Amino acid sequence: MKLLEMHHVKKSFDGNAVLKQISLSVEEGEVVSIIGPSGSGKSTLLRCATLLETMDDGDLYYLGEAAAKSEAGRAVYAPSESIKKIERQFGLVFQNFNLFPHYSVLKNIMDAPLHVQKRDKAEVKEEAMRLLHKMGLSDRANAYPCQLSGGQQQRVSIARALAMKPKILFFDEPTSALDPELTGEILKVITDLAKENMTMVIVTHEMYFAKDVSDRMIFMDQGVIVEETTPDALFASENERTRAFLGKYHLGGD
């Protein structure tokens, strides 16, 4: 089943085309990594998919339900009630954690399930503690974000996203704000989620990780998808732009 579909997406900023007719779909249980140089449109694509940016034109569907449709050359969005329902289908993990500094770790995780989804408090707390245990943070429930390392903060933000029980999880360069030592712990969490068949779309610069964890990889450059294929096929690509990019990571063939 297709969880996410995007068709012919266009987005410009100040007349500069950042996304040029981008189309992609993500199946349930699939892990898709998006790679490419800075400024290639990766994060903008993720922001359009998660309704943080409005597309200029194109279609956006979750589970077959339209969040936006192209009409007369522009994207027309669904009514706010439909959008709210669609927003519950996905979670987003930012590169800079975006935790509430004045909330404890536990409250950060419980806040949205309680106030957005109106779920039972005891059930939400039990789920939050289970997620903290899963993230190796059982003993940090009452700590505040400023008392945590960057890696711990990012694990809390992953737990917070999972607490909403999303069908699909988006990661926007989840390790870019972390030093190499802390990067490994976040990549392990994401790898474990992949083993549990969590559907994920990951924008990342971690090439070895992307190659290992992904079912499919998308290489973007200058607002277009240059290649979309399996990790092995991408890393063996004959495409000049792909090889030039991967060559910077000493991964592009011999």
Side-chain angles (χ1 to χ4, degrees), residues 195-251:
K195 288 174 186 166
E196 295 169 15
N197 290 323
M198 183 76 208
T199 309
M200 294 184 282
V201 178
I202 308 163
V203 169
T204 184
H205 285 295
E206 300 289 338
M207 295 301 138
Y208 289 106
F209 160 72
K211 187 170 191 259
D212 287 343
V213 81
S214 307
D215 298 299
R216 193 155 42 93
M217 289 181 71
I218 291 170
F219 170 53
M220 285 183 68
D221 192 18
Q222 297 180 354
V224 300
I225 291 175
V226 178
E227 284 196 79
E228 179 180 354
T229 186
T230 63
D232 286 344
L234 191 77
F235 284 91
S237 174
E238 295 298 319
N239 183 289
E240 211 170 295
R241 284 159 88 187
T242 308
R243 288 179 69 83
F245 176 72
L246 292 174
K248 293 173 186 164
Y249 294 88
H250 311 295
L251 291 167

Side-chain angles (χ1 to χ4, degrees), residues 100-159:
F100 296 116
H102 54 296
Y103 284 3
S104 68
V105 164
L106 189 61
K107 192 171 180 187
N108 261 288
I109 295 169
M110 291 177 64
D111 188 62
L114 287 177
H115 296 111
V116 178
Q117 295 180 331
K118 313 290 187 197
R119 283 162 51 196
D120 175 71
K121 188 172 182 179
E123 175 205 320
V124 168
K125 185 173 183 180
E126 188 181 328
E127 171 77 358
M129 291 306 297
R130 188 184 67 76
L131 286 167
L132 281 175
H133 177 72
K134 184 174 183 167
M135 298 293 152
L137 293 169
S138 299
D139 59 336
R140 308 300 278 160
N142 297 317
Y144 285 82
C146 64
Q147 298 171 306
L148 305 179
S149 71
Q152 289 172 326
Q153 288 185 62
Q154 191 60 298
R155 279 183 278 158
V156 173
S157 68
I158 294 171

